[in-house]
Amino acid sequence: MSGAGEPTGREHWASRRAFILAAIGSAIGLGNIWRFPYICYEYGGGAFLLAFVVALFTAGIPLLILEFGIGHSTEGTAPKAMRKIHPKLEWFGWAATGVGFVICTYYAVIMSYCANYAWHSLTLAWGSDPSAFFYNDVIGLTTVRADSVATAAADSLRAIGAQVPAELVAKPWSLGPFMPWLFVGLAISWVWIVLSIWKGTKTVGKVVYVTVLVPWAILIIFVVRGVTLPGAGEGLHFYLHPVFGELLKPGVWLAAYTQVFFSLSVGFGIMIAYSSFLPRKSDIVKNAFLIGIGDALTAFLGGLAVFGALGYKAHLSGLPVEDVVQSGPGLTFITYPDIINNLPMPHLFGILFFLMLLTLAIDSAFSLVEAVAAAARDKWGWSHRRANLTVASIALLLGVPLIFGVGLHWLDIVDRFMNQVGLSLVVFGECLLIGYYFKSERMRNYVNNLSDFSVGKWWNVCIMVITPVAILCLLGAEIVARFKEPYGDAGLRSQEFVFGWLIVILVFVGGLLLARTRGRKESQSVGSAGVDRGA
Ligand code: PFF
């Protein structure tokens, strides 16, 4: 973004390419290489992939167009944009930003795993059993296995109506050992994030050339090796061949829709903030398609590499692909080391791979810091530095509980609730607000006036009907299922279930409170409903 401005004085991207790279950099991140494969593995492989493609075209790309339209027309970050649409809706913009902020706190923890693995690549410390290495040495979970046993014992006692001894009850809240190297990785990640945007977002447009293009080249190498490992075919079959019966499960669809939101960074306030810096004439529709399809293709490639490696593991162990590893957020850190072990010059490729993950993650993370910091600048007139440092320090502190031994378990819970409930609610609200209050036809005309390539009326149907109805039904079905059986498939215990909801509620209440704080004069006076900026 350059400070060169239009009469409004708002900073702008230096070029269309800078915007596209920054937005694609935000979209492509750990979501593609870390989250997508394990969610896909957990929800049935091929069936999930199919649901993902449907979700991309019925919700993901339409929502990108929607968020670009909101940001561009109001020239505001999410809270300011919402306030412009209706003065009473600022809280909703803060809630969207808050959901993203919480996601960013644990996202940096995964970056710390990557930093640790980049270091371990020097010695290929994971050896021939990357799974044991991950759980024992990196996150320290096995040292708290006794606690999980205690928790399971407490559950069984409760189930038969027996009294549960106090020492068993206390266990589920245990944090496990502090993992100092994860803390070091977390601190490094945050320093790197802050430095990337230190001189304002002017640097972003330059940094992204490296952080988007280099990782792509490295990923291709991993795909080629992943799919040519012995036994890879079996893993690829699981990934690419849908078992149609799986599509009858609402959980698969909810996972697919929310993965699309996560992966495209919609519902976080990021794309609204980024597009608020676009110059007047910007081809919103073409940009949205480019970013959406580029992001999905990257996830698809990440999946090819991981499932190739899973096939290889199945081939070695003689187990079916669906049982070969424990799924979950640790999957990437178990399967990629396996591929690395099978590459020539494994040390070099190990370092390259984990640095690639870090570079992919960094632009997603700083896009979020920028979205929150820009919202603070819009509201309170803070300087870049003050906003960035405040946001980063709070996020660093909030990430600390997650670097203890059971941290990954809590991370998984926060991730599920923030994505399945938090992001879904935000996206649902955006669809209702623009679809019915603002009128999606009006927004469609607005973006079409700017774009060479127009969106048809199908877009209104996606925003007004398909996306909100899908979220309502899927989230509704999931909530009912969880209330009936809180332990459910995800193996959640009731305390964890309550904790997950509490965080979601806190984010929305936080949004209400922030909206009530006094902003700087200029920002308070913005209250005109509607689109300010002519096309
Ligand atoms: N689209 C990002 C990804 O797929 O990794 C999601 C994201 C997460 C963006 C966290 C920003 C962020 F702070």
Side-chain angles (χ1 to χ4, degrees):
M1 281 169 243
S2 80
E6 288 180 356
T8 57
R10 195 169 183 82
E11 46 186 354
H12 288 119
W13 295 103
S15 64
R16 171 174 177 243
R17 201 182 302 147
F19 165 74
I20 293 189
L21 279 177
I24 230 175
S26 168
I28 301 180
L30 296 174
N32 305 63
I33 312 290
W34 159 72
R35 197 173 191 277
F36 175 83
Y38 85 76
I39 296 285
C40 184
Y41 185 55
E42 203 166 309
Y43 288 95
F48 174 87
L49 189 62
L50 199 68
F52 180 83
V53 174
V54 173
L56 175 72
F57 288 100
T58 57
I61 294 177
L63 280 163
L64 268 182
I65 298 174
L66 178 81
E67 292 205 345
F68 287 164
I70 295 177
H72 186 272
S73 60
T74 59
E75 290 196 285
T77 48
K80 183 172 158 190
M82 292 303 152
R83 191 169 61 233
K84 280 194 172 183
I85 290 170
H86 190 287
K88 288 226 156 70
L89 285 175
E90 182 185 333
W91 70 273
F92 180 65
W94 282 113
T97 314
V99 169
F101 178 70
V102 174
I103 292 178
C104 195
T105 60
Y106 71 75
Y107 199 76
V109 173
I110 303 296
M111 288 176 69
S112 164
Y113 290 4
C114 298
N116 273 271
Y117 267 82
W119 173 255
H120 292 311
S121 300
L122 291 174
T123 53
L124 298 183
W126 51 76
S128 57
D129 190 354
S131 172
F133 178 76
F134 177 71
Y135 289 113
N136 299 341
D137 302 288
V138 180
I139 65 166
L141 183 67
T142 34
T143 32
V144 284
R145 280 264 160 87
D147 292 349
S148 325
V149 172
T151 316
D155 285 345
S156 325
L157 287 174
R158 225 174 268 121
I160 57 165
Q163 222 191 341
V164 183
E167 68 270 25
L168 288 190
V169 179
K171 296 292 188 189
W173 294 102
S174 141
L175 279 177
F178 175 73
M179 301 305 283
W181 289 109
L182 287 185
F183 181 74
V184 172
L186 185 65
I188 292 177
S189 304
W190 275 110
V191 170
W192 191 11
I193 294 169
V194 171
L195 286 182
S196 304
I197 46 176
W198 188 245
K199 287 200 177 166
T201 43
K202 219 185 285 178
T203 30
V204 172
K206 296 188 187 119
V207 171
V208 286
Y209 278 93
V210 180
T211 55
V212 174
L213 300 178
V214 173
W216 249 83
I218 303 175
L219 182 60
I220 301 287
I221 300 175
F222 276 82
V223 173
V224 171
R225 183 68 271 218
V227 301
T228 51
L229 283 169
E234 221 180 296
L236 296 178
H237 183 263
F238 180 78
Y239 179 43
L240 300 174
H241 181 83
V243 176
F244 288 101
E246 290 288 306
L247 291 173
L248 296 175
K249 297 183 182 164
V252 172
W253 289 95
L254 181 63
Y257 271 85
T258 51
Q259 173 60 24
V260 164
F261 302 153
F262 184 91
S263 196
L264 294 186
S265 303
V266 291
F268 295 67
I270 295 176
M271 294 305 184
I272 297 182
Y274 268 13
S275 53
S276 77
F277 301 118
L278 274 170
R280 184 178 285 253
K281 182 88 187 106
S282 303
D283 195 331
I284 287 184
V285 178
K286 206 195 286 166
N287 291 348
F289 271 90
L290 214 85
I291 293 161
I293 292 174
D295 179 73
L297 275 178
T298 312
F300 179 73
L301 287 181
L304 280 180
V306 167
F307 282 92
L310 285 173
Y312 168 70
K313 272 189 109 61
H315 169 79
L316 290 183
S317 62
L319 287 170
V321 173
E322 43 278 53
D323 301 330
V324 82
V325 282
Q326 201 186 340
S327 78
L331 184 71
T332 298
F333 300 97
I334 297 167
T335 49
Y336 278 105
D338 259 327
I339 306 185
I340 291 165
N341 283 345
N342 285 283
L343 281 170
M345 297 184 290
H347 303 82
L348 174 70
F349 278 108
I351 297 174
L352 275 181
F353 177 75
F354 289 106
L355 286 183
M356 168 197 89
L357 273 189
L358 275 173
T359 48
L360 279 181
I362 192 103
D363 31 24
S364 301
F366 69 58
S367 70
L368 201 111
V369 175
E370 176 57 19
V372 185
R377 299 199 306 261
D378 273 351
K379 169 103 185 178
W380 298 295
W382 285 4
S383 67
H384 278 276
R385 273 184 198 178
R386 177 174 178 194
N388 293 343
L389 282 177
T390 311
V391 174
S393 325
I394 300 176
L396 167 67
L397 286 179
L398 290 177
V400 169
L402 302 178
I403 51 163
F404 284 77
V406 275
L408 186 63
H409 176 66
W410 292 105
L411 185 152
D412 193 23
I413 293 166
V414 179
D415 176 70
R416 272 169 212 277
F417 276 86
M418 274 298 120
N419 286 291
Q420 299 196 344
V421 187
L423 276 186
S424 294
L425 288 178
V426 169
V427 166
F428 180 71
E430 281 180 356
C431 288
L432 293 192
L433 188 66
I434 301 298
Y436 295 91
Y437 173 71
F438 186 85
K439 303 285 182 235
S440 60
E441 186 58 14
R442 193 167 150 210
M443 186 58 92
R444 191 174 76 87
N445 286 333
Y446 179 83
V447 296
N448 280 348
N449 274 336
L450 292 167
S451 312
D452 295 339
F453 154 54
S454 309
V455 267
K457 288 212 189 286
W458 60 268
W459 184 78
N460 295 348
V461 180
C462 291
I463 296 299
M464 294 176 74
V465 186
I466 302 181
T467 307
V469 169
I471 294 177
L472 204 63
C473 298
L474 298 173
L475 189 59
E478 188 70 11
I479 291 174
V480 170
R482 287 286 161 268
F483 270 106
K484 276 197 190 147
E485 194 197 353
Y487 304 129
D489 300 338
L492 288 187
R493 297 194 173 78
S494 44
Q495 303 94 315
E496 295 159 352
F497 183 67
V498 171
F499 172 77
W501 274 104
L502 210 67
I503 294 202
V504 174
I505 293 168
L506 270 177
V507 167
F508 281 82
V509 171
L512 281 168
L513 294 177
L514 281 173
R516 291 176 64 110
T517 60
R518 268 181 78 82
R520 65 181 165 144
K521 268 221 173 71
E522 183 198 330
S523 82
Q524 289 297 313
S525 64
V526 179
S528 58
V531 175
D532 283 345
R533 214 178 181 199

